[in-house]
Amino acid sequence: MLAEIITIGDELLIGQVVDTNSAFIAKQLNKIGVSVYQITSIQDDKLHILQALKNAESRVDIIICTGGLGPTKDDITKKTIAEYFEDTLERNDAVLENIETIWKQHVRTTMLQVNRDQALIPSKSKPLMNRLGTAPGMWIEKQDKVFISLPGVPYEMTELVDNEVIPKLKEKFNCPFILHKTMIVYGLGESALADRIASWEDALPSHIKLAYLPNLGKMRLRLSTKGSDEAQLKKDIQDQINKVIPLIREEYAGLEDEDGSVEVVIAKQLTKLGDTLAIAESCTGGAVAERFTVHSGASAFFKGGLVTYSTQSKIKVLQVPESDINTYSVVSAQVAESMARNAKALFQSDYAIATTGNAGPTKGDSDAEVGTVHIAIATNTEVYSQAFNFGNSRIKVINKAVNKALEMLLKEIFKN
Amino acid sequence: MLAEIITIGDELLIGQVVDTNSAFIAKQLNKIGVSVYQITSIQDDKLHILQALKNAESRVDIIICTGGLGPTKDDITKKTIAEYFEDTLERNDAVLENIETIWKQHVRTTMLQVNRDQALIPSKSKPLMNRLGTAPGMWIEKQDKVFISLPGVPYEMTELVDNEVIPKLKEKFNCPFILHKTMIVYGLGESALADRIASWEDALPSHIKLAYLPNLGKMRLRLSTKGSDEAQLKKDIQDQINKVIPLIREEYAGLEDEDGSVEVVIAKQLTKLGDTLAIAESCTGGAVAERFTVHSGASAFFKGGLVTYSTQSKIKVLQVPESDINTYSVVSAQVAESMARNAKALFQSDYAIATTGNAGPTKGDSDAEVGTVHIAIATNTEVYSQAFNFGNSRIKVINKAVNKALEMLLKEIFKN
């Protein structure tokens, strides 16, 4: 079963908004065995929308559009879809009732005709009830194909996908089972990794596809397969993982979580061990803490964090010895280790991570070269740090430092 | 001048990676007067790539591909492009030299034949020298059209776009001037805003296009235009902004920065005033600090932050009175205000923001309903807070709280 996602909105094409909707929808579709063949982002333009629908219809079975369903004049998706199906818009009473309920609960201003008009949907469509906003989703079938239109506001879209779109697609189509497993590998570049595992890769069965995903000091190796026999496919992938691990024993850091993030693996392990974590950040500025706290359940292991951005705050708030700063500079192993040690004590945690560095573009309170980052780990038995240079792009330095800090912690907590 | 961006990689179509490359490229193209007609994300599949190139060639003048240029077997963009142009791959000595230089500087493992082979490029192409990685960009002209192929690794791609692609496109094409200005509006929903400014919108000159961009408690209103007379277009847009402001005086929070973020507006104002900021976060978990520290220059005003995630850390690290927590609960105005007041004192800053709430999905150390967030601001003269309920989706609660905290701070620092 193939799908195409069409995201509609000028904001995507001028680069004002990053399209996160497609990745979410693609991931959810994959889970029920629907492959996404293409993602197409187009303008709020009638002819362009009509053309994109026609092209998608020729390629795939399921077409999911997002965006352009608001009450204002720049939103034209709904009438364009009606035109595509040679249909007219009709008031749907259940949708109107839903809009009125939302309005009463959440909006202080008076309801307008344009809001009531959001209850107009193509007569051939079934509404997908949007409990979080006034723009309904729509489901239209044409022969064996399904067209779905969803609002572009991410949290409304995700709710509709999870509660309406996915259950209905599962009911309608008999989809194969799709499985992806991603191995996290540290310390080997793309070609060195490929060289190391070449014999294994060459012997992979044809129904297993391999992909290399390099990302700032971390490699991900994804194995994908699809078919009808779920148990057999799971076994096939696991067999291959078991075969390749001995070739990369030193560098292999575990399987990526379904959520796609190493911090989730760390979170699960800390929670399982009953251990806790504190974080002291300088150059990463809160980004390490944020990686953990965005996931639910963080309070089970995360005690707290400090962003000691200024030198003064490192001394005053985190009790880093001023003499160390004067002797070694604020970007040094000594300061990173002090930060980790003191954060661990302050928050009474089992582990602490600390980062201090110069993300650039200009030098801060230190003579350290732009890109220099020291990362320290404190445990109940030791404190240690490593020094890195992550280059001269600010965003890259921050992201690499976050990834490296997570990598060091991952290795630490899986040591035994 | 029209462009299409084709992002290539299975990871995009299974939702493993969010495509941030397209938005970056689109934004840079807009700045030199190139409009992006469509963004297309496709699989690492030869026939699909060939078809996408053909379709794009029929629609636009400039085709920019990203991805699929790595040294491993799953990367097939380069040979597919050679096939599309009925061309062969030839070794480019300058590219080989660049690869060898990068290898010597950054890589410890031995260089392999697959790495040397990255110097093979279509004979009809000119290389775009990648100083940050071993995959070269490529530039191919066919009649009046330009095809550009770039690596998918974001920091390599951005460097090539800024230093190679944009200068070369400016040289080759005589592009119109494109201007977008985005007004930030708080406290009005999409339809209420549209209703308020309807008379102004109806009278907009035809060369100015208006878009409404709702996002979690914040509306953005974008005016766009394009043409040859830069000075006149700037004046036209400014005239319209001046006309609409009186209609939304209470709700208008200023123009969005070119970087597209309210925190940049705050950063500039604080730096201009010579004022400093501290942040104490609970439910936002470092996300507010991260919004500021990702931008360079943050050290000019940002003293530091605390992520007091556990109740114990609020008491011990931030000296929130335990009696207040017992009396009012950890999610309360009193605790938020204590956090802001004490963070301001601890970091000796002029302003402090604090957040405490329950992002869900389960209740934490408080009986407060999921979605409840208290946000406090401390200034040199007062401390105040507001209470919100941001619903029951964790990500939404966190993002809304961050946006609202920034909004409150923005209003505070522009008060006078």
Side-chain angles (χ1 to χ4, degrees):
Chain A
M1 208 56 55
L2 291 179
E4 178 160 338
I5 301 168
I6 302 175
T7 56
I8 303 169
D10 293 352
E11 66 277 14
L12 301 168
L13 297 155
I14 67 169
Q16 189 169 26
V17 167
V18 170
D19 171 21
T20 54
N21 285 353
S22 301
F24 174 82
I25 297 171
K27 196 181 264 187
Q28 302 312 98
L29 289 176
N30 259 250
K31 286 181 189 163
I32 59 159
V34 175
S35 299
V36 176
Y37 182 76
Q38 179 166 320
I39 299 166
T40 309
S41 299
I42 57 171
Q43 303 168 55
D44 294 297
D45 174 90
K46 190 175 90 170
L47 294 177
H48 202 169
I49 297 172
L50 292 172
Q51 188 63 49
L53 288 170
K54 196 174 149 201
N55 292 344
E57 188 180 343
S58 73
R59 286 189 283 249
V60 301
D61 314 291
I62 300 164
I63 294 118
I64 301 185
C65 305
T66 68
L69 298 184
T72 50
K73 289 177 192 162
D74 55 324
D75 289 312
I76 60 166
T77 300
K78 197 164 60 178
K79 31 181 209 204
T80 307
I81 287 178
E83 182 171 334
Y84 185 74
F85 289 100
E86 297 173 348
D87 198 2
T88 51
L89 297 174
E90 277 182 5
R91 195 178 77 189
N92 182 292
D93 290 335
V95 172
L96 184 59
E97 199 180 34
N98 182 55
I99 293 171
E100 283 168 345
T101 307
I102 288 176
W103 209 267
K104 266 180 221 145
Q105 283 172 352
H106 299 291
V107 191
R108 285 157 303 174
T109 53
T110 318
M111 198 163 150
L112 305 168
Q113 190 54 41
V114 289
N115 304 116
R116 271 181 216 102
D117 286 350
Q118 294 202 277
L120 298 173
I121 62 173
S123 72
K124 296 175 185 169
S125 74
K126 284 182 207 148
L128 303 172
M129 213 57 79
N130 181 355
R131 303 289 173 197
L132 302 174
T134 52
M138 289 162 275
W139 173 289
I140 305 181
E141 298 190 11
K142 182 182 172 189
Q143 282 120 29
D144 289 340
K145 310 216 167 188
V146 174
F147 292 75
I148 296 161
S149 172
L150 300 171
V153 176
Y155 73 90
E156 298 179 17
M157 180 281 300
T158 53
E159 204 266 345
L160 276 169
V161 167
D162 285 343
N163 299 322
E164 298 284 338
V165 175
I166 294 296
K168 284 197 167 55
L169 287 176
K170 269 173 87 170
E171 199 183 297
K172 182 170 171 70
F173 295 107
N174 184 14
C175 297
F177 175 71
I178 296 180
L179 181 65
H180 305 288
K181 284 282 176 190
T182 302
M183 306 174 71
I184 302 172
V185 181
Y186 284 110
L188 277 179
E190 191 172 0
S191 54
L193 175 60
D195 186 52
R196 184 86 72 79
I197 63 174
S199 60
W200 170 82
E201 181 174 357
D202 289 339
L204 273 178
S206 63
H207 69 291
I208 296 184
K209 205 172 163 187
L210 187 72
Y212 293 80
L213 305 166
N215 182 25
L216 299 175
K218 164 173 120 175
M219 281 291 310
R220 292 185 292 172
L221 198 61
R222 190 186 63 233
L223 291 88
S224 301
T225 190
K226 139 164 130 168
S228 56
D229 187 344
E230 178 171 342
Q232 184 62 44
L233 293 173
K234 282 182 169 167
K235 186 180 172 303
D236 291 350
I237 291 275
Q238 193 55 52
D239 286 350
Q240 293 304 327
I241 291 172
N242 295 344
K243 272 188 198 164
V244 76
I245 286 177
L247 306 178
I248 48 174
R249 191 165 296 285
E250 281 294 302
E251 295 84 3
Y252 176 55
L255 279 179
E256 189 172 75
D257 190 82
E258 298 289 303
D259 284 353
S261 50
V262 62
E263 66 271 18
V264 174
V265 181
I266 295 172
K268 283 186 182 165
Q269 180 71 357
L270 287 176
T271 306
K272 191 174 126 191
L273 298 173
D275 283 343
T276 56
L277 175 68
I279 300 170
E281 304 183 60
S282 184
C283 61
T284 53
V288 180
E290 201 256 342
R291 285 276 285 264
F292 286 107
T293 56
V294 77
H295 302 284
S296 65
S299 54
F301 65 89
F302 181 52
K303 290 293 208 76
L306 276 157
V307 186
T308 49
Y309 214 64
S310 60
T311 297
Q312 182 203 21
S313 69
K314 290 185 184 70
I315 299 166
K316 186 157 182 306
V317 182
L318 204 47
Q319 268 84 50
V320 174
E322 197 165 353
S323 57
D324 277 2
I325 293 176
N326 294 334
T327 313
Y328 305 108
S329 110
V330 78
V331 176
S332 63
Q334 287 79 3
V335 169
E337 292 177 18
S338 259
M339 287 171 67
R341 188 182 295 113
N342 298 356
K344 182 177 181 300
L346 190 62
F347 289 100
Q348 300 178 317
S349 61
D350 298 298
Y351 295 94
I353 319 176
T355 64
T356 181
N358 185 350
T362 54
K363 292 184 178 184
D365 286 355
S366 158
D367 283 338
E369 206 182 325
V370 169
T372 307
V373 178
H374 292 263
I375 303 175
I377 301 271
T379 74
N380 286 324
T381 54
E382 60 176 337
V383 180
Y384 58 89
S385 66
Q386 280 186 266
F388 305 92
N389 190 297
F390 294 136
N392 53 16
S393 142
R394 183 177 179 86
I395 302 291
K396 180 182 151 191
V397 171
I398 295 173
N399 285 334
K400 277 198 160 191
V402 172
N403 281 340
K404 186 55 84 172
L406 296 177
E407 172 195 342
M408 285 173 65
L409 183 63
L410 183 80
K411 287 200 168 163
E412 178 58 47
I413 64 173
F414 280 99
K415 225 176 210 172
N416 304 310
Chain B
M1 206 59 55
L2 292 179
E4 178 161 337
I5 300 167
I6 302 175
T7 56
I8 302 168
D10 293 352
E11 66 277 15
L12 302 167
L13 296 155
I14 67 169
Q16 188 168 27
V17 167
V18 170
D19 172 20
T20 54
N21 285 353
S22 301
F24 174 82
I25 297 171
K27 196 181 262 188
Q28 302 313 99
L29 289 175
N30 260 248
K31 286 183 189 162
I32 60 160
V34 175
S35 299
V36 175
Y37 182 75
Q38 179 165 319
I39 298 165
T40 309
S41 299
I42 58 172
Q43 304 168 56
D44 294 298
D45 173 272
K46 190 175 89 168
L47 294 177
H48 201 169
I49 297 173
L50 293 172
Q51 189 63 47
L53 288 169
K54 195 174 149 202
N55 292 344
E57 188 179 343
S58 73
R59 288 189 281 249
V60 301
D61 313 291
I62 300 164
I63 294 117
I64 301 185
C65 305
T66 68
L69 299 184
T72 49
K73 289 177 192 162
D74 55 323
D75 289 313
I76 59 165
T77 300
K78 196 162 64 178
K79 22 178 219 214
T80 307
I81 286 178
E83 181 172 332
Y84 186 75
F85 289 101
E86 298 172 348
D87 198 3
T88 51
L89 297 175
E90 278 181 6
R91 194 178 77 190
N92 183 292
D93 289 335
V95 173
L96 185 58
E97 199 180 343
N98 183 54
I99 293 172
E100 283 168 346
T101 307
I102 288 175
W103 209 267
K104 268 180 219 145
Q105 284 172 353
H106 298 290
V107 192
R108 285 157 304 172
T109 53
T110 319
M111 197 164 151
L112 305 167
Q113 189 56 41
V114 287
N115 304 116
R116 272 181 215 101
D117 287 349
Q118 293 202 280
L120 298 173
I121 62 172
S123 72
K124 295 175 185 167
S125 73
K126 285 182 207 150
L128 303 173
M129 212 57 79
N130 181 355
R131 303 290 173 197
L132 302 175
T134 52
M138 288 163 275
W139 173 288
I140 305 182
E141 298 191 12
K142 182 183 173 187
Q143 282 121 28
D144 289 340
K145 310 217 168 188
V146 174
F147 292 74
I148 296 160
S149 171
L150 300 172
V153 177
Y155 74 89
E156 298 179 17
M157 180 281 300
T158 54
E159 205 267 345
L160 277 168
V161 167
D162 285 343
N163 298 322
E164 298 283 338
V165 174
I166 294 296
K168 284 197 167 58
L169 287 176
K170 270 173 86 169
E171 199 182 296
K172 180 167 173 70
F173 294 107
N174 184 14
C175 298
F177 175 71
I178 297 180
L179 182 65
H180 305 289
K181 285 280 177 192
T182 302
M183 305 174 71
I184 301 172
V185 180
Y186 284 109
L188 276 178
E190 190 171 1
S191 54
L193 174 60
D195 187 52
R196 184 87 73 79
I197 64 175
S199 59
W200 170 81
E201 182 174 356
D202 289 339
L204 273 178
S206 63
H207 68 292
I208 296 182
K209 205 171 163 187
L210 187 70
Y212 293 80
L213 306 166
N215 181 26
L216 299 176
K218 163 174 122 175
M219 281 291 311
R220 293 184 293 171
L221 198 60
R222 189 186 63 233
L223 291 87
S224 302
T225 189
K226 133 165 136 170
S228 56
D229 188 344
E230 177 172 341
Q232 185 61 43
L233 293 173
K234 282 182 169 167
K235 187 179 171 303
D236 291 351
I237 291 275
Q238 192 55 51
D239 286 351
Q240 292 304 328
I241 290 172
N242 295 345
K243 271 189 200 163
V244 75
I245 286 176
L247 306 178
I248 48 173
R249 191 166 297 284
E250 281 295 301
E251 294 86 3
Y252 177 54
L255 279 178
E256 188 172 76
D257 190 84
E258 298 288 304
D259 284 352
S261 50
V262 62
E263 66 270 19
V264 173
V265 181
I266 295 173
K268 283 185 182 165
Q269 180 71 357
L270 287 175
T271 306
K272 192 175 125 191
L273 298 172
D275 283 342
T276 56
L277 175 67
I279 299 169
E281 303 181 62
S282 184
C283 61
T284 53
V288 179
E290 202 257 343
R291 283 278 285 264
F292 286 108
T293 57
V294 76
H295 302 285
S296 65
S299 54
F301 66 90
F302 181 52
K303 289 293 207 70
L306 275 157
V307 185
T308 48
Y309 214 65
S310 60
T311 297
Q312 180 202 25
S313 69
K314 290 185 184 71
I315 298 166
K316 187 158 184 302
V317 182
L318 204 47
Q319 267 83 50
V320 174
E322 197 165 352
S323 57
D324 277 3
I325 293 177
N326 293 335
T327 312
Y328 306 109
S329 108
V330 77
V331 176
S332 64
Q334 288 79 4
V335 169
E337 292 178 17
S338 259
M339 288 171 68
R341 189 183 296 113
N342 297 358
K344 181 177 182 303
L346 190 61
F347 289 101
Q348 300 178 318
S349 62
D350 298 295
Y351 294 94
I353 319 177
T355 64
T356 182
N358 186 349
T362 54
K363 291 184 179 182
D365 286 354
S366 159
D367 281 338
E369 206 182 326
V370 169
T372 306
V373 178
H374 292 264
I375 302 174
I377 301 267
T379 74
N380 286 324
T381 54
E382 61 176 337
V383 180
Y384 59 89
S385 67
Q386 279 187 266
F388 306 92
N389 189 298
F390 294 135
N392 53 15
S393 141
R394 182 176 179 86
I395 302 292
K396 180 182 152 192
V397 172
I398 294 174
N399 286 334
K400 277 198 161 189
V402 172
N403 282 342
K404 186 55 84 172
L406 295 177
E407 173 195 343
M408 285 173 64
L409 182 63
L410 183 81
K411 288 200 169 162
E412 177 59 46
I413 64 172
F414 280 99
K415 226 177 210 173
N416 304 311

